[in-house]
Amino acid sequence: MARRSTGTAIVLGLGLGLFLSGRAPEPTAFVGGAAALSGGSRTQMRALTRKVEDTEQVKGLESPLKIYMKALVDAAAKKGESVPVTKDIMKVRKFYKLILDDQLEITQKYLDLINGQASVEMTDVGRAEEISKMMGMESTVLPGFFRFLAKKRRFNGLSMIADYYMEELYKEQNIVPIRVTSAQTLTDDQKQSIRSKMKKITGAADIKLVSTVNADLLGGFKVEYNFLDADNMRGPENALDYSLKTVLQKAAVGKGVLLDELQDAVDTGR
């Protein structure tokens, strides 16, 4: 075990050295990028993309999605609640994710408000207010925005507005989220080195780095970025792979050697 741990650390160091030296593999399209999103989220993202593309093609016109998102941003700035509103938007997205994942208690309460007996005598605004209470808003702006959407009969677009809000926030601040999966826990210095390199690769002002450990990589690490859903880091479109597992797989294919035999050699040092 100690031998494997030492070997893994050496491979991680070699991978980081190649990464920082610029001798990087070409960024690859991440297999399953768009497909990795759940069905509902994928549909929303595609619809959002189409709306934004349509907006750019029709000069002088803006999509309703963008108009409502701008109205929310302006209201938050005017009230000095930009930070609380952003936190509330994150709650909105988490709430709809729970529904998408069919979390029974939340889903049932939501459906009762929308379609159930409890909603029969409620107005659209009343339902929006109750849903706002369920989410536990911190700002005063977002509950008011809920009522505004309900009056305009646009409340069913709330989840897409929230998605678009976060996407635009990342773009405006030029923040690029990346996920680094390594065979061993990265040190703070290693994380900072990866951040610096990814700033150069992506042109970002800042890097949001999330690291995970997966011993199955055997050694080294891989970097995923350009997420379709930047905030939740789902659907990466590009990846840089410096993992020993990938090296072994390529060697196994090229030489006709079984991957299990190569992995056993790494584990035992023989």
Side-chain angles (χ1 to χ4, degrees):
M1 182 63 70
R3 180 178 293 174
R4 179 176 183 180
S5 178
T6 302
T8 301
I10 292 173
V11 174
L12 176 59
L14 288 173
L16 188 59
L18 287 172
F19 177 67
L20 298 177
S21 70
R23 295 195 292 275
E26 287 296 320
T28 57
F30 189 80
V31 177
L37 290 171
S38 59
S41 294
R42 185 167 61 252
T43 300
Q44 287 184 359
M45 291 301 293
R46 285 178 177 170
L48 170 59
T49 301
R50 283 197 299 271
K51 285 188 175 183
V52 173
E53 289 173 348
D54 289 345
T55 298
E56 293 173 345
Q57 290 172 4
V58 183
K59 187 177 180 180
L61 298 179
E62 290 187 328
S63 69
L65 183 65
K66 193 169 186 177
I67 291 171
Y68 287 121
M69 188 276 293
K70 280 187 173 181
L72 176 58
V73 170
D74 291 345
K78 186 176 181 180
K79 285 276 191 178
E81 293 190 359
S82 294
V83 173
V85 165
T86 299
K87 290 180 179 178
D88 283 349
I89 286 291
M90 291 178 179
K91 289 182 180 181
V92 170
R93 300 189 77 210
K94 182 178 180 181
F95 178 86
Y96 280 108
K97 185 179 184 303
L98 289 173
I99 292 175
L100 191 65
D101 294 341
D102 200 23
Q103 296 292 319
L104 187 59
E105 185 178 355
I106 293 292
T107 302
Q108 190 57 55
K109 285 182 179 179
Y110 180 76
L111 291 177
D112 283 346
L113 281 170
I114 298 299
N115 302 315
Q117 185 64 34
S119 69
V120 173
E121 297 181 359
M122 294 181 70
T123 63
D124 289 343
V125 172
R127 280 189 284 271
E129 289 175 342
E130 288 301 312
I131 292 171
S132 173
K133 292 176 184 177
M134 285 178 65
M135 295 181 185
M137 302 289 94
E138 295 182 25
S139 68
T140 61
V141 169
L142 209 57
F145 186 68
F146 280 22
R147 292 190 293 271
F148 171 74
L149 289 179
K151 289 176 182 178
K152 295 290 184 180
R153 304 187 70 81
R154 294 279 187 174
F155 192 78
N156 60 351
L158 176 61
S159 62
M160 288 187 65
I161 293 171
D163 287 341
Y164 192 39
Y165 181 100
M166 291 307 301
E167 290 296 322
E168 288 300 299
L169 182 66
Y170 277 101
K171 288 179 184 177
E172 181 183 337
Q173 297 183 357
N174 197 14
I175 299 172
V176 174
I178 68 169
R179 178 166 52 235
V180 181
T181 305
S182 57
Q184 266 190 339
T185 302
L186 296 172
T187 66
D188 289 341
D189 286 343
Q190 288 170 335
K191 289 179 182 178
Q192 187 54 47
S193 296
I194 292 173
R195 284 192 188 95
S196 297
K197 183 64 177 181
M198 289 305 294
K199 280 184 180 180
K200 294 179 181 179
I201 291 175
T202 63
D206 197 9
I207 295 291
K208 173 187 174 183
L209 186 152
V210 174
S211 63
T212 60
V213 175
N214 182 357
D216 290 342
L217 294 182
L218 303 180
F221 63 94
K222 64 179 181 180
V223 182
E224 297 163 5
Y225 61 107
N226 281 347
F227 293 93
L228 292 176
D229 182 349
D231 186 40
N232 291 316
M233 300 181 74
R234 292 184 296 183
E237 294 191 292
N238 295 100
L240 296 169
D241 196 335
Y242 294 89
S243 67
L244 179 57
K245 182 176 182 179
T246 296
V247 173
L248 293 179
Q249 286 174 332
K250 290 179 179 178
V253 171
K255 296 183 178 297
V257 180
L258 292 176
L259 181 59
D260 288 344
E261 293 179 5
L262 284 169
Q263 183 168 334
D264 183 60
V266 172
D267 291 344
T268 61
R270 289 183 281 122

